[in-house]
Amino acid sequence: MINSLLTKETPISSGDIFFEILSKKGLKEMHEYSIKKELYEFFEFEPFREISDTEKYIEKLSERMDTGKSIYWFVRLKSNNNLIGTASLSMVDFKRKSTEQGYALDPDYWGKGYIFEIQDSIKDYVFNKLGFNRLYGITMMKNEKTISAALASGFKKEAIVKDYYFKNGKYIDGWSYYMLASEYFNNNFTSKRLGAVIQIDDIVKVFSEVFEDKGIDKNLIMKNYDKWDSVMHINIILEISKKFNIELTPQEITKASSIQEIFDIIMNK
């Protein structure tokens, strides 16, 4: 059976997503995005074709949950209940207070900031609810989106794991990353004083330059702008930090999903 600590509470999001325990109730919805080839670029297995493939996969994950060392969730939108992906904790070690995170997102929802909501919710669950000390993950070296999202969420690179994956007859290196509870709870991040008063139009200007888009205005939201994906999020944060001589905490970086939010974060420094 699933360890009761893992199911006592699901991860909580302050954004537009919520979590529910994975089950066959979501089979048809999960299959709809599980047949999309772009989802599998950095997976070792091939895209599902038949709904029976997706069903077998859910059964496989359910068996893992029965060991008490893994938990899998569906991720849904609060606004319309749409299933947009899955999230998980595996290799759950209650003695060492350590676990590995994972997630998969419907390609139709890439670049809209949901990955940051998922990671923020998992971090809160692992460090606050479970009281764990270490959260980590691993992905393929060329998975730029996941690596950028991890760094933007405050994770640190741990190592290059040689020949970790095997796909299409080739070994592929893994990129591992981690976060410790002490880092998650440490709010003593230093920030330098702003040299001048900043207006929201100054933030708009940075965005316009980075995205080379003069049509951007102060109402821009990450979810509504396709160019603003996890990779560009890092570029924006770096440019904001350089331009205004400040440092943003991992929590602030995760929440910086609109121009107004970034402006408010800077003003609170």
Side-chain angles (χ1 to χ4, degrees):
M1 296 297 290
I2 306 173
N3 190 295
S4 59
L5 283 177
L6 296 179
T7 57
K8 187 175 182 180
E9 293 184 61
T10 57
I12 303 297
S13 170
S14 59
D16 188 36
I17 63 171
F18 71 94
F19 295 70
E20 67 177 30
I21 298 294
L22 180 143
S23 71
K24 287 187 180 181
K25 291 181 180 179
L27 173 59
K28 291 183 179 180
E29 297 169 278
M30 185 177 182
H31 183 65
E32 287 180 3
Y33 71 78
S34 293
I35 59 177
K36 298 176 182 178
K37 292 183 178 180
E38 58 266 43
L39 179 66
Y40 296 83
E41 182 179 1
F42 300 107
F43 288 167
E44 288 178 292
F45 48 93
E46 296 300 313
F48 297 157
R49 295 183 179 181
E50 305 297 333
I51 194 168
S52 58
D53 296 330
T54 306
E55 184 175 21
K56 289 178 182 178
Y57 185 66
I58 290 179
E59 290 174 351
K60 180 180 179 180
L61 299 185
S62 297
E63 289 175 1
R64 290 180 182 175
M65 286 196 286
D66 286 340
T67 67
K69 297 181 179 180
S70 298
I71 185 73
Y72 294 86
W73 301 284
F74 284 137
V75 180
R76 294 184 179 275
L77 295 182
K78 294 176 182 177
S79 56
N80 55 23
N81 206 48
N82 284 352
L83 179 62
I84 66 170
T86 59
S88 68
L89 294 178
S90 58
M91 303 296 289
V92 179
D93 190 327
F94 286 93
K95 181 179 180 180
R96 294 177 176 174
K97 297 185 181 299
S98 172
T99 185
E100 179 180 2
Q101 72 166 6
Y103 50 81
L105 196 63
D106 182 341
D108 288 349
Y109 293 90
W110 288 358
K112 299 182 183 298
Y114 292 117
I115 187 58
F116 297 114
E117 291 187 29
I118 291 172
Q119 290 198 127
D120 213 30
S121 302
I122 290 178
K123 286 184 293 183
D124 172 71
Y125 180 79
V126 168
F127 295 124
N128 281 313
K129 299 298 189 301
L130 295 181
F132 274 22
N133 178 62
R134 175 180 165 85
L135 176 63
Y136 63 94
I138 187 167
T139 187
M140 292 186 184
M141 277 292 298
K142 293 184 178 181
N143 192 351
E144 192 176 51
K145 290 182 182 296
T146 294
I147 291 174
S148 296
L151 293 173
S153 296
F155 288 92
K156 295 180 179 178
K157 174 185 175 181
E158 184 161 37
I160 303 301
V161 187
K162 301 299 292 184
D163 290 354
Y164 184 83
Y165 296 98
F166 187 76
K167 182 175 183 178
N168 297 329
K170 296 181 180 180
Y171 287 103
I172 301 171
D173 293 346
W175 189 89
S176 66
Y177 57 96
Y178 75 97
M179 179 180 289
L180 301 180
S182 58
E183 297 166 338
Y184 177 76
F185 290 113
N186 178 20
N187 293 317
N188 297 317
F189 295 95
T190 59
S191 61
K192 302 175 183 177
R193 291 184 177 274
L194 300 180
V197 177
I198 296 175
Q199 303 295 327
I200 196 167
D201 287 344
D202 297 320
I203 309 297
V204 173
K205 184 178 180 181
V206 171
F207 271 79
S208 297
E209 292 173 350
V210 171
F211 287 109
E212 299 181 347
D213 184 351
K214 296 182 179 180
I216 290 176
D217 61 32
K218 64 181 182 181
N219 298 312
L220 186 69
I221 299 174
M222 186 177 189
K223 294 176 183 177
N224 298 335
Y225 192 59
D226 291 340
K227 292 182 178 180
W228 191 354
D229 58 16
S230 58
V231 176
M232 291 305 296
H233 191 66
I234 288 291
N235 294 337
I236 283 292
I237 295 303
L238 290 175
E239 192 61 27
I240 291 289
S241 299
K242 176 182 177 181
K243 182 76 172 181
F244 304 115
N245 200 27
I246 62 171
E247 295 177 11
L248 273 63
T249 69
Q251 290 85 351
E252 289 170 339
I253 293 173
T254 298
K255 293 178 180 178
S257 58
S258 71
I259 285 181
Q260 182 64 57
E261 186 66 44
I262 292 175
F263 178 68
D264 292 342
I265 289 171
I266 292 175
M267 289 299 97
N268 287 327
K269 285 290 187 183

